[in-house]
Amino acid sequence: MKAVELESERLFLKPLSQKHLSLAYVNWLNDIEVNTYLESGGNYTLQLLADFLKEQEQKDILFWAIHLKNSNKHIGNIKIDPINYEQSSGEFGILMGDKENWGKGFANEASNRIIKYCFEQLKLTKITLGVIENNIKAVSLYHKIGFITTEKNENVGVYNNKLSNSLRMSLDVRNFK
């Protein structure tokens, strides 16, 4: 299954592709503040990003670039991957790379639109995710959307120079507003 174009009040959600290759995107991935809680951040080049985008474009996954409607600016990415069709569930992930657009509700808006699509169109019944407990903004966003913590794994790694715990969180279709 491939991502389809979607939109919300202030955002366009477009299938992530090689068209999204940019120095700004590379800079997000190499920005310590952006990648603090990511497993894949740092040491990116345009070529590495080009290879990654080509690989993602060839996969059968739901992976979107988040664009502002008013300027078409690419500000982040969001995905549901993998999808477990037997359990009717999908794994959620989001990256808000453009720091000048942090704190404006775009992550919440994009997340709600993608989750609504997954529940209504794809008929998934559960969305899950993993997050580092110290990533307070992300954990707060997920709680606001309706995710609940289902598991806590202690001392999974060092993030932001602190030994950190990870959380598994889940959102059931019945609890989505």
Side-chain angles (χ1 to χ4, degrees):
M1 173 168 301
K2 293 278 192 184
V4 297
E5 288 197 23
L6 299 170
E7 66 180 273
S8 62
E9 182 182 342
R10 301 176 296 162
L11 302 170
F12 288 123
L13 302 157
K14 301 177 182 185
L16 186 70
S17 72
Q18 294 176 70
K19 295 175 191 169
H20 294 98
L21 179 64
S22 70
L23 189 55
Y25 191 169
V26 171
N27 289 340
W28 301 345
L29 297 173
N30 291 329
D31 184 315
I32 192 79
E33 198 174 0
V34 173
N35 71 37
T36 296
Y37 297 105
L38 300 180
E39 294 175 9
S40 61
N43 298 316
Y44 263 82
T45 63
L46 275 170
Q47 186 58 55
L48 284 173
L49 181 57
D51 294 344
F52 171 78
L53 291 171
K54 183 177 182 181
E55 181 183 318
Q56 299 312 304
E57 203 171 19
Q58 293 170 352
K59 289 181 180 178
D60 192 24
I61 62 172
L62 299 176
F63 206 161
W64 292 269
I66 303 167
H67 290 260
L68 297 176
K69 273 187 176 179
N70 65 3
S71 66
N72 204 35
K73 183 179 185 182
H74 178 205
I75 63 168
N77 300 329
I78 191 167
K79 70 178 181 172
I80 303 291
D81 180 58
I83 292 178
N84 181 326
Y85 291 100
E86 288 179 15
Q87 294 184 3
S88 188
S89 68
E91 183 77 3
F92 177 87
I94 187 167
L95 163 71
M96 295 305 292
D98 183 37
K99 292 192 299 189
E100 66 182 53
N101 282 293
W102 285 5
K104 297 181 179 177
F106 294 125
N108 189 359
E109 185 174 331
S111 298
N112 276 294
R113 180 63 186 99
I114 293 302
I115 293 167
K116 181 178 179 183
Y117 171 76
C118 288
F119 286 156
E120 292 180 0
Q121 306 308 128
L122 304 182
K123 304 301 182 197
L124 297 183
T125 58
K126 184 165 77 170
I127 304 291
T128 58
L129 62 84
V131 63
I132 299 302
E133 186 177 38
N134 297 347
N135 190 348
I136 304 299
K137 288 181 183 178
V139 172
S140 175
L141 167 68
Y142 303 144
H143 283 301
K144 188 183 302 183
I145 292 168
F147 281 87
I148 58 166
T149 302
T150 57
E151 186 180 337
K152 179 176 179 175
N153 297 304
E154 295 190 6
N155 304 324
V156 296
V158 176
Y159 293 86
N160 206 16
N161 298 316
K162 296 176 188 161
L163 190 56
S164 301
N165 303 325
S166 71
L167 303 175
R168 291 295 302 159
M169 300 180 85
S170 177
L171 175 62
D172 189 281
V173 66
R174 296 171 297 206
N175 299 331
F176 184 63
K177 300 166 182 118

